[in-house]
Amino acid sequence: MRDTEKSGKWAGSRSRLSIVLAVSACALLSVGGLAHAAPARDPLPADIPDYQAALDAVKSTDVRNTVCRFLRTPAPADGAAGPVQTIPEMPEPCQGLPSFTIKDPVARNEITPGFVAGTAKPLPTEAIKLTQLVSSLSTTVNGRNATVMLAPTQGGGWHLAAVRDGDSDATYAGQATLGTLVFTEPQIRGWYRLKLTTVEPLNDEARQGLGGRVSLSLGDYQKLVKARYADKLPGSEYDTNGYSAGYSPRRKVDEGPSSTLLLAGGSSAALALVGGAAVLRRRRRASTG
């Protein structure tokens, strides 16, 4: 069978789910028998399903007011334990705050559970998926920045899932270049760039995750994450004990705008939506060991 026929058969077998990263089809074998892949790339806005819904969400008054309430609430120290704080309702939550805008959303990609388990091939379309969209603010407010996180809504569209302190997610997610893809390993807060099938670290956490190496093949990277997290997948003791930084698909509770999002990694201060009420959650830090 010719390379193009194999590629077409492989690509045709995968359904185009709304939250799966759209990338070029891969030619699995070259004439010499070596594996090659078409360049992976982050989806452009035109490639993201229902992107207009995401734009409408981040420009809405409700989301802006939620961000303002978040910025008015003191952030706890990272890793601090404590009860959930209810953010009080206020008639004009943005009144008196410096002017800011919420930037257009960009793709936040993560490694897939199948890739971690070793059941998925070390190919961009199998290893990486689009899980959320993230937007940062145009300027700091009260000395703080924030990231607006959108999750896909069941049936189509996007909804506000959480607001998180800092802008690192949006900053790293926006570093994709032509022909490359940026993704996160949220358990260690590592960010990487994928060029063809070569993984390169973008931050110190990712460099530590690669053992100080400047790059690694996608296949070798898969061996690392399998060793780190294969026992933390859905159904494992790690998962059933409630640690939110392990690798698992988004749960059904995340499918509506009034649901709680279990954040994977990131700041300890995250505004989640619970039953329609805004609360400030203090994340439990999970051990990677």
Side-chain angles (χ1 to χ4, degrees), residues 117-137:
T119 57
K121 297 177 182 178
L123 296 170
T125 46
E126 303 241 2
I128 312 299
K129 68 175 181 179
L130 171 64
T131 58
Q132 293 177 324
L133 300 179
V134 290
S135 304
S136 60
L137 308 186

Side-chain angles (χ1 to χ4, degrees), residues 98-115:
S99 176
F100 68 89
T101 58
I102 303 174
K103 297 179 183 178
D104 290 352
V106 294
R108 183 182 187 274
N109 307 307
E110 294 183 19
I111 51 179
T112 66
F115 181 73

Side-chain angles (χ1 to χ4, degrees), residues 174-198:
Q175 288 187 21
T177 57
L178 183 64
T180 70
L181 180 151
V182 171
F183 67 93
T184 183
E185 181 186 333
Q187 176 76 16
I188 63 171
R189 306 184 191 182
W191 283 89
Y192 305 85
R193 177 178 288 119
L194 181 62
K195 293 181 178 179
L196 292 177
T197 56
T198 298

Side-chain angles (χ1 to χ4, degrees), residues 1-288:
M1 183 181 292
R2 294 180 300 175
D3 296 347
T4 55
E5 291 173 343
K6 289 185 177 181
S7 176
K9 182 178 180 181
W10 176 82
S13 66
R14 293 182 60 85
S15 60
R16 184 179 173 85
L17 297 176
S18 63
I19 62 172
V20 174
L21 178 66
V23 295
S24 302
C26 297
L28 298 182
L29 298 175
S30 67
V31 175
L34 299 176
H36 290 280
R41 64 174 179 83
D42 263 301
L44 300 174
D47 300 325
I48 296 174
D50 299 316
Y51 188 72
Q52 185 58 51
L55 287 175
D56 293 342
V58 298
K59 295 180 187 302
S60 69
T61 300
D62 286 345
V63 168
R64 184 178 181 83
N65 286 342
T66 300
V67 172
C68 289
R69 293 201 304 273
F70 177 81
L71 293 171
R72 288 184 181 277
T73 304
D78 192 44
V84 171
Q85 295 181 7
T86 300
I87 297 177
E89 291 290 340
M90 55 194 72
E92 297 292 339
C94 297
Q95 186 174 2
L97 289 180
S99 176
F100 68 89
T101 58
I102 303 174
K103 297 179 183 178
D104 290 352
V106 294
R108 183 182 187 274
N109 307 307
E110 294 183 19
I111 51 179
T112 66
F115 181 73
V116 173
T119 57
K121 297 177 182 178
L123 296 170
T125 46
E126 303 241 2
I128 312 299
K129 68 175 181 179
L130 171 64
T131 58
Q132 293 177 324
L133 300 179
V134 290
S135 304
S136 60
L137 308 186
S138 60
T139 185
T140 58
V141 178
N142 292 346
R144 296 168 64 187
N145 210 321
T147 296
V148 174
M149 310 187 77
L150 304 178
T153 302
Q154 188 176 30
W158 297 86
H159 64 267
L160 176 64
V163 178
R164 176 182 291 176
D165 250 321
D167 61 355
S168 59
D169 278 31
T171 297
Y172 285 116
Q175 288 187 21
T177 57
L178 183 64
T180 70
L181 180 151
V182 171
F183 67 93
T184 183
E185 181 186 333
Q187 176 76 16
I188 63 171
R189 306 184 191 182
W191 283 89
Y192 305 85
R193 177 178 288 119
L194 181 62
K195 293 181 178 179
L196 292 177
T197 56
T198 298
V199 176
E200 299 175 350
L202 291 178
N203 62 358
D204 288 341
E205 291 83 353
R207 282 183 279 275
Q208 293 172 9
L210 297 187
R213 284 162 287 196
V214 296
S215 66
L216 206 63
S217 72
L218 189 57
D220 286 340
Y221 174 68
Q222 183 178 32
K223 295 175 183 177
L224 287 180
V225 296
K226 181 179 179 180
R228 283 200 280 262
Y229 311 121
D231 61 345
K232 300 174 178 65
L233 291 168
S236 66
E237 182 179 357
Y238 184 88
D239 176 57
T240 56
N241 282 343
Y243 292 100
S244 63
Y247 288 99
S248 65
R250 301 296 174 195
R251 303 180 182 185
K252 289 184 178 180
V253 295
D254 300 331
E255 293 174 351
S258 63
S259 300
T260 302
L261 175 67
L262 297 180
L263 294 176
S267 171
S268 61
L271 184 69
L273 302 179
V274 184
V279 299
L280 183 68
R281 287 199 170 273
R282 296 180 177 181
R283 182 181 58 86
R284 174 172 54 181
R285 186 184 295 255
S287 169
T288 59

